[in-house]
Amino acid sequence: MSSPTVLSSRHSQWLASSDLPTEHGLFSMHVFRTTGRDGTEGFREHVALVHGDVIGQTGLPVRVHSECITGEVFRSLKCDCGDQLDKAMAEIVRMGAGIILYLRQEGRGIGLTNKIRAYHLQSRGYDTVDANRMLGLPDDARSYEVVPEMLAHFGVPSISLMTNNPDKVAKLAALGVKVDKRRPVITVPNQHSVGYFEAKRTRMGHALPQSMAISE
């Protein structure tokens, strides 16, 4: 891969990179540090997983993925976050080049503690949207301001966004990211996650099939 332009701004800074062999293929892992727009918030470390030569590529396959410790580390069956991440990584390797932008914003931006509080409400029959609202939290509190800066670091002028969420496309476009197309990342629900899939489809506008087979 060609050398990217080192990003260093008042809000985002590239810190380090190294090769990262994975079960899907070889990626390079880049760590970025960001602070709040007013400079007063604690910093976060976000990750770009890069496969292939991405510098200057138009329509590059990119997955903007938010952290989910329950689904990705502990392999919870309540969501498909781990499955989507795996599928996106495998697809990027298959296509020869692409980037996973892994943003450290747990629980659609509400944080781990509130996410577990919401899980408790979901165990009592509320869906993911109503559980957040009962806690006085937004349906989706994620922020994507760092994305155009991370893409600029790699000189990527436009992307093919790997998502089922049209709202994410709109939010990135509003930040100046040129999205050439949306690529679906369809996974299979299980008996624990089928309600979550349905809430995403009917209440959050995700482009998911109306009827999906359930895995055993």
Side-chain angles (χ1 to χ4, degrees):
M1 185 181 79
S2 305
S3 297
T5 300
V6 174
L7 173 67
S8 181
S9 73
R10 191 161 58 90
H11 307 297
S12 302
Q13 182 182 17
W14 177 94
L15 296 179
S17 69
S18 180
D19 286 346
L20 187 73
T22 76
E23 64 182 17
H24 303 293
L26 180 64
F27 288 79
S28 61
M29 182 173 180
H30 298 253
V31 180
F32 296 79
R33 181 171 61 195
T34 65
T35 60
R37 289 294 168 184
D38 59 2
T40 61
E41 299 176 13
F43 71 82
R44 292 183 179 181
E45 290 180 330
H46 303 292
V47 168
L49 283 180
V50 179
H51 177 77
D53 189 358
V54 302
I55 304 300
Q57 298 294 325
T58 60
L60 183 75
V62 171
R63 167 75 180 168
V64 177
H65 188 95
S66 296
E67 178 181 32
C68 176
I69 189 173
T70 50
E72 297 156 4
V73 176
F74 301 116
R75 306 306 294 183
S76 165
L77 298 177
K78 288 177 64 65
C79 69
D80 64 334
C81 300
D83 291 340
Q84 282 194 315
L85 181 59
D86 284 340
K87 188 163 187 176
M89 290 175 68
E91 185 66 6
I92 281 173
V93 170
R94 186 190 69 80
M95 291 185 288
I99 301 176
I100 305 285
L101 297 182
Y102 188 87
L103 307 185
R104 306 296 300 278
Q105 45 185 359
E106 179 73 45
R108 297 201 304 272
I110 65 174
L112 182 58
T113 299
N114 282 325
K115 176 181 180 179
I116 298 306
R117 288 170 176 157
Y119 272 10
H120 176 67
L121 291 172
Q122 289 172 40
S123 72
R124 295 167 55 190
Y126 300 98
D127 69 19
T128 182
V129 173
D130 285 336
N132 277 31
R133 293 178 181 178
M134 289 182 70
L135 293 170
L137 300 169
D139 301 348
D140 191 336
R142 287 176 292 184
S143 172
Y144 302 106
E145 281 82 0
V146 70
V147 171
E149 297 183 0
M150 294 173 80
L151 292 174
H153 175 80
F154 299 104
V156 175
S158 67
I159 66 173
S160 176
L161 187 62
M162 305 175 76
T163 183
N164 304 321
N165 186 359
D167 182 61
K168 187 183 290 184
V169 176
K171 287 179 176 176
L172 290 176
L175 291 169
V177 177
K178 188 174 187 300
V179 181
D180 290 343
K181 65 181 293 187
R182 182 182 66 81
R183 290 179 177 270
V185 187
I186 304 298
T187 58
V188 179
N190 60 68
Q191 61 177 330
H192 303 283
S193 65
V194 63
Y196 176 68
F197 274 68
E198 185 64 10
K200 287 203 295 185
R201 185 182 70 82
T202 61
R203 305 201 63 188
M204 303 184 75
H206 289 217
L208 293 168
Q210 291 191 16
S211 179
M212 302 182 72
I214 300 176
S215 65
E216 297 295 332

